[in-house]
Amino acid sequence: MTDDSGKAGHSLWGGRFSAKPADLMRRINASIDVDRRLAGEDLAGSRAHAAMLAEQGIIPKADEQAIQAGLDHIAGEIATGVFPFREELEDIHMNVEARLTELIGPPAGRLHTARSRNDQVALDFRMWVRAACQRSADQIRDLQRALVRRAEEHADALMPGFTHLQPAQPVTFGHHLMAYVEMFARDASRFDDARARMNESPLGAAALAGTSFPIDRHAVAAALGFDRPTANSLDSVSSRDFALEALSAGAICATHLSRLAEEIVIWMTPAFGFITLSDAFTTGSSIMPQKRNPDAAELIRAKVGKILGSLVNLTVVMKGLPLAYGKDMQEDKAGTFEAFDALELSLAAMTGMIDDLAANRSAMSAAAGAGFSTATDLADWLVRRLGLPFREAHHVTGRAVARAEALGCDLAALPLAELQALDDRIAADIYDVLSPAASAASRMSHGGTAPAQVRLQIARWKEALA
Ligand code: ARG
């Protein structure tokens, strides 16, 4: 752009230039379509910076007042959608500064004293990621609350527990849901940790080496809610590990979401019939009138690709970059924004589905006894009552399973004579342990699936999440 000072190049950095950049240069260089999302952070950073400059006597108070009024006006323009975003001004920082110049004239030129776009963007992006970590952690806790509510409802609802997706041992639906409460708790705490670690203000690092002006970085840090300023100016403008860490936490959380989504898909297929989702969270087919598809679950299952992809993307962008700032780092934002958009939508949709689903307790309970799921209970009875070594009990039980399979019945329906043919000391009270309900209720070890244990964990989480 050509501005009224007569510089042929760029209005903000064009002093040494005599010609305009090529269109292609402008297109590859501009980031405004992406970083306009940082407008709020950019204005907050500029307000704090200007206030500090005036407080330190670096700029006149009157200029600071003009700057603050201009920034307020710009905030209004952005909020009402009339702010003139311009590609030729590259990014959000220069768009704001150029608009400020239009609005208030020369005092605008003092705002960038003791500051560079390098520390400015590091600040803006850090503040955005910090808020995203907070939002994600809060949303995860909402999801946990939904899971705990459903778990409490179904603390004693029997369902098959699987390993290798083969019937393993009976568990309760409440126990299964509470497993995800534990996973999501770790996810939320990863976001909390990342947020605490990144909570240092890079502003004042200037281009890379710090500044000769007597700035007060501690005051700016405090004004923007940071615990302290960063301690090394080169690190301040070069590091994006705060975003890598947030994206890692996001990728792990998305992985957990995808597992729960996959289970919802499996539970909902009529072959399982463990749950139903209402019209609110399913879609129909344009050709098959009978269909009810769990699209939201499938999409959540897929979103992990985008989120993990953004982590890989930024890791590769940062790999091998020499200190300090390099324009490569401008590529840090688009993927991060996309990843958090996907994560936030996934978390909200998963919470909606958990609230929406109806458990078919009779189908779950019928399936809980299938596949000889109480075979371990039979083996444990042989150990406890007959003193058999577990390996031998395992062998005897295996033969009992083979007999039941041959007779086409469950273990609980195997005649006593059949069991006594395997070991004549087996008594009728063995049937007490062969029902899925008895099996689940007996697993009273800490963290086990017995409804009484599950309820203990539910009570603990209800308190923690209150
Ligand atoms: N738009 C840039 C980014 O997102 C801002 C920093 C540019 N700094 C520079 N020296 N060109 O990284």
Side-chain angles (χ1 to χ4, degrees):
M1 115 185 216
T2 307
D3 69 14
D4 44 21
S5 70
K7 292 186 285 249
H10 195 286
S11 63
L12 296 177
W13 49 244
R16 81 187 301 280
F17 289 79
S18 53
K20 292 205 295 187
D23 273 356
L24 277 173
M25 178 62 207
R26 228 175 63 184
R27 271 174 54 208
I28 194 169
N29 203 31
S31 58
I32 187 63
D33 281 349
V34 171
D35 59 30
R36 55 194 289 168
R37 278 182 78 165
L38 296 176
E41 287 79 6
D42 200 71
L43 292 170
S46 287
R47 284 197 182 97
H49 183 66
M52 179 278 290
L53 291 175
E55 191 59 40
Q56 295 297 105
I58 300 168
I59 65 171
K61 286 255 189 259
D63 286 355
E64 191 239 332
Q65 277 159 16
I67 289 170
Q68 300 291 4
L71 293 173
D72 285 348
H73 187 90
I74 290 172
E77 289 185 337
I78 289 170
T80 53
V82 299
F83 183 85
F85 289 103
R86 282 176 288 185
E87 192 199 53
E88 66 271 20
L89 290 168
E90 281 184 42
D91 58 22
I92 184 63
H93 323 296
M94 295 202 291
N95 266 273
V96 168
E97 195 182 328
R99 182 74 184 128
L100 190 65
T101 306
E102 282 170 7
L103 289 168
I104 67 167
R110 299 200 187 278
L111 173 59
H112 214 52
T113 314
R115 186 176 76 168
S116 153
R117 275 189 296 153
N118 297 349
D119 59 341
Q120 199 178 351
V121 74
L123 172 80
D124 294 0
F125 191 39
R126 207 181 269 243
M127 285 172 67
W128 192 95
V129 174
R130 179 178 71 173
C133 286
Q134 184 70 58
R135 285 196 303 275
S136 295
D138 288 346
Q139 276 193 294
I140 290 171
R141 287 185 267 267
D142 284 343
L143 173 55
Q144 287 182 292
R145 284 183 201 101
L147 286 163
V148 170
R149 281 195 295 274
R150 302 324 295 271
E152 187 167 36
E153 230 178 297
H154 299 297
D156 59 357
L158 295 167
M159 73 176 273
F162 297 97
T163 60
H164 314 266
L165 201 55
Q166 302 294 318
Q169 294 173 347
V171 297
T172 76
F173 189 42
H175 190 51
H176 196 116
L177 295 176
M178 290 304 290
Y180 284 98
V181 171
E182 298 289 337
M183 289 180 242
F184 289 126
R186 293 191 294 276
D187 291 338
S189 88
R190 266 184 281 273
F191 278 118
D192 292 342
D193 288 350
R195 189 185 178 288
R197 207 174 348 270
M198 76 180 69
N199 203 27
E200 296 183 342
S201 168
L203 201 67
L208 75 167
T211 176
S212 56
F213 290 99
I215 60 172
D216 183 350
R217 293 192 59 207
H218 290 85
V220 172
L224 295 170
F226 289 99
D227 295 328
R228 64 191 79 83
T230 49
N232 181 299
S233 62
L234 294 168
D235 174 49
S236 310
V237 293
S238 309
S239 295
R240 293 295 182 269
D241 56 280
F242 62 86
L244 290 175
E245 198 175 349
L247 288 168
S248 307
I252 296 171
C253 179
T255 306
H256 290 154
L257 285 168
S258 80
R259 297 182 73 172
L260 180 51
E262 167 68 356
E263 301 217 269
I264 288 173
V265 171
I266 293 173
W267 294 339
M268 218 186 104
T269 196
F272 272 71
F274 288 1
I275 61 164
T276 49
L277 288 171
S278 80
D279 294 0
F281 279 95
T282 49
T283 59
S285 156
S286 58
I287 176 171
M288 296 167 284
Q290 84 285 8
K291 289 296 286 285
R292 181 184 280 288
N293 297 327
D295 295 38
E298 296 166 84
L299 288 163
I300 292 170
R301 191 171 59 182
K303 293 276 187 209
V304 62
K306 179 169 298 194
I307 297 164
L308 179 60
S310 296
L311 169 61
V312 174
N313 173 56
L314 184 54
T315 305
V316 176
V317 166
M318 297 308 295
K319 181 205 162 293
L321 268 193
L323 303 190
Y325 178 84
K327 196 66 174 249
D328 315 48
M329 290 160 72
Q330 179 163 285
E331 294 292 313
D332 56 0
K333 291 169 214 68
T336 306
F337 292 161
E338 251 202 318
F340 276 95
D341 287 347
L343 183 66
E344 288 170 26
L345 187 55
S346 297
L347 282 165
M350 182 58 85
T351 306
M353 273 193 294
I354 295 300
D355 279 333
D356 182 80
L357 69 80
N360 183 350
R361 293 173 62 121
S362 57
M364 282 191 199
S365 162
F372 313 107
S373 65
T374 56
T376 313
D377 301 274
L378 195 161
D380 289 350
W381 186 94
L382 296 173
V383 170
R384 241 186 341 260
R385 289 290 307 274
L386 306 184
L388 259 53
F390 182 76
R391 273 291 147 239
E392 197 180 326
H394 186 289
H395 188 74
V396 171
T397 306
R399 287 164 60 207
V401 168
R403 272 312 283 159
E405 205 164 30
L407 296 171
C409 68
D410 281 344
L411 281 178
L414 206 57
L416 188 58
E418 290 284 347
L419 289 166
Q420 286 173 338
L422 303 173
D423 188 312
D424 58 10
R425 293 170 296 168
I426 294 178
D429 67 323
I430 195 165
Y431 292 105
D432 295 347
V433 303
L434 294 182
S435 77
S439 168
S442 72
R443 291 193 152 62
M444 277 293 288
S445 51
H446 179 81
T449 202
Q453 280 298 325
V454 174
R455 289 195 178 97
L456 281 179
Q457 299 302 331
I458 289 171
R460 179 172 71 85
W461 275 114
K462 277 174 77 174
E463 206 183 306
L465 292 165

